[in-house]
Amino acid sequence: MNDSCLEKLSEQTITAPELISLLAGYQMLPQIYRELLVDQAIACIECSPEEVEQAQQEFYTAHSITDPQQLENWLRLNNIAPEQLQGIATRKLRLEKYKLATWGHKLESYFLTQKSQLDQVTYSLLRTRDMAIAQELYFRIKAKEQSFADIARKYSQGPEAQTGGLIGPMPLSQPHPQLAAKLRASQPGQIMPPTRLGEWIVIVRLEQMIYAKLDDSTRKKLLNDLFQQWLQESLQQTLNQASKKLTPSSFA
């Protein structure tokens, strides 16, 4: 783009209806409404002076702002008024406080409903399409003639051959439901006899079951899950209502 085009663009005036039309055309309206919903939700959330100071310092660090002149340049470049800075710097903190205030009391019960999806598992897998071969390999592993990893590398017909059959850790909700049920009922080190699973005959050994706990990281994840569910539902309702108003005649 040459200088004349840039100058023309910088002098262009965009009316409100034209702006809405442009945002719709660039498929940016959902993101705009999403941010507006967040701003409305956290509008009444307050931060202490200490929290504000810390949030601003973290903001300066994230944007490599080390002196007042750099701050002034950043504000001017982003067309942001100085009085807007505190709200921008504390937005993430206020959102986290909103999540906790809104859904914190539901976490324990929600955790119980989601626990089976949060448990993780590590297991070894060997697959083949031949039951006779599977039976032979199973007994060789049981007799410790060769390690599971060595046999998986040589005989397994899936991508797990590259890792010696080792898979995970991964959410227990990801494996085939039939396999997940068998893993949940197994003990670490237990080898399951050859079992048909779809087109495959599989040999599986449970290595480790990692049961989910309601610790800080899990709390944060669950809070965010509940927030995202609310946000998606609210956004869909908002977009449905907006679509009734944003008719072609609105942009005329």
Side-chain angles (χ1 to χ4, degrees):
M1 183 178 293
N2 56 40
D3 292 343
S4 62
C5 290
L6 289 173
E7 184 177 353
K8 182 179 179 180
L9 181 60
S10 65
E11 295 176 350
Q12 182 178 353
T13 300
I14 302 175
T15 66
E18 288 173 339
L19 179 59
I20 294 175
S21 180
L22 287 170
L23 291 172
Y26 293 138
Q27 298 181 320
M28 295 177 65
L29 279 178
Q31 183 61 33
I32 296 295
Y33 281 123
R34 181 187 297 271
E35 300 305 325
L36 288 172
L37 283 167
V38 172
D39 283 342
Q40 290 177 4
I42 67 175
C44 296
I45 301 297
E46 297 182 353
C47 298
S48 68
E50 293 77 16
E51 289 174 329
V52 171
E53 176 63 24
Q54 182 177 348
Q56 288 182 330
Q57 291 302 320
E58 291 174 354
F59 178 85
Y60 296 151
T61 300
H63 292 83
S64 302
I65 297 172
T66 59
D67 59 56
Q69 185 59 54
Q70 288 183 332
L71 175 59
E72 182 180 339
N73 293 340
W74 186 90
L75 292 171
R76 184 174 62 254
L77 180 63
N78 291 277
N79 198 30
I80 293 174
E83 57 268 22
Q84 294 178 277
L85 182 60
Q86 179 175 313
I88 295 172
T90 61
R91 192 172 191 263
K92 182 178 179 181
L93 174 60
R94 287 183 291 126
L95 177 55
E96 293 305 315
K97 296 179 79 167
Y98 171 77
K99 293 177 186 178
L100 184 60
T102 306
W103 296 286
H105 65 286
K106 297 182 178 180
L107 281 186
E108 290 191 8
S109 60
Y110 185 59
F111 170 73
L112 294 176
T113 65
Q114 298 298 306
K115 188 177 182 305
S116 62
Q117 307 295 315
L118 298 171
D119 291 339
Q120 294 196 320
V121 65
T122 300
Y123 62 98
S124 293
L125 173 72
L126 187 158
R127 74 178 97 186
T128 179
R129 290 186 172 87
D130 190 312
M131 177 60 82
I133 292 177
Q135 290 283 5
E136 178 185 348
L137 296 176
Y138 169 72
F139 287 117
R140 285 166 64 178
I141 295 172
K142 288 281 288 185
K144 299 183 179 180
E145 295 179 11
Q146 285 181 277
S147 69
F148 196 118
D150 288 342
I151 291 180
R153 288 191 185 95
K154 185 173 182 179
Y155 295 101
S156 192
Q157 296 177 313
E160 67 282 344
Q162 301 298 318
T163 61
L166 191 64
I167 298 176
M170 66 190 305
L172 191 55
S173 57
Q174 288 190 14
H176 187 284
Q178 182 180 342
L179 175 57
K182 289 182 176 295
L183 288 168
R184 190 175 285 280
S186 299
Q187 296 298 319
Q190 182 179 345
I191 303 175
M192 306 175 201
T195 303
R196 180 169 293 281
L197 201 64
E199 62 180 306
W200 298 102
I201 309 298
V202 300
I203 303 171
V204 180
R205 181 176 68 194
L206 175 64
E207 303 296 344
Q208 184 183 21
M209 187 70 72
I210 307 170
Y211 294 103
K213 298 179 180 179
L214 192 54
D215 53 18
D216 288 343
S217 61
T218 302
R219 286 177 180 275
K220 186 173 182 179
K221 179 187 183 307
L222 294 179
L223 278 174
N224 192 59
D225 287 348
L226 289 167
F227 166 71
Q228 290 297 336
Q229 290 174 21
W230 167 82
L231 184 58
Q232 190 59 38
E233 292 172 1
S234 301
L235 179 61
Q236 191 59 56
Q237 293 176 9
T238 302
L239 290 174
N240 290 341
Q241 294 171 2
S243 66
K244 299 175 182 178
K245 300 177 182 178
L246 299 180
T247 60
S249 60
S250 302
F251 309 135

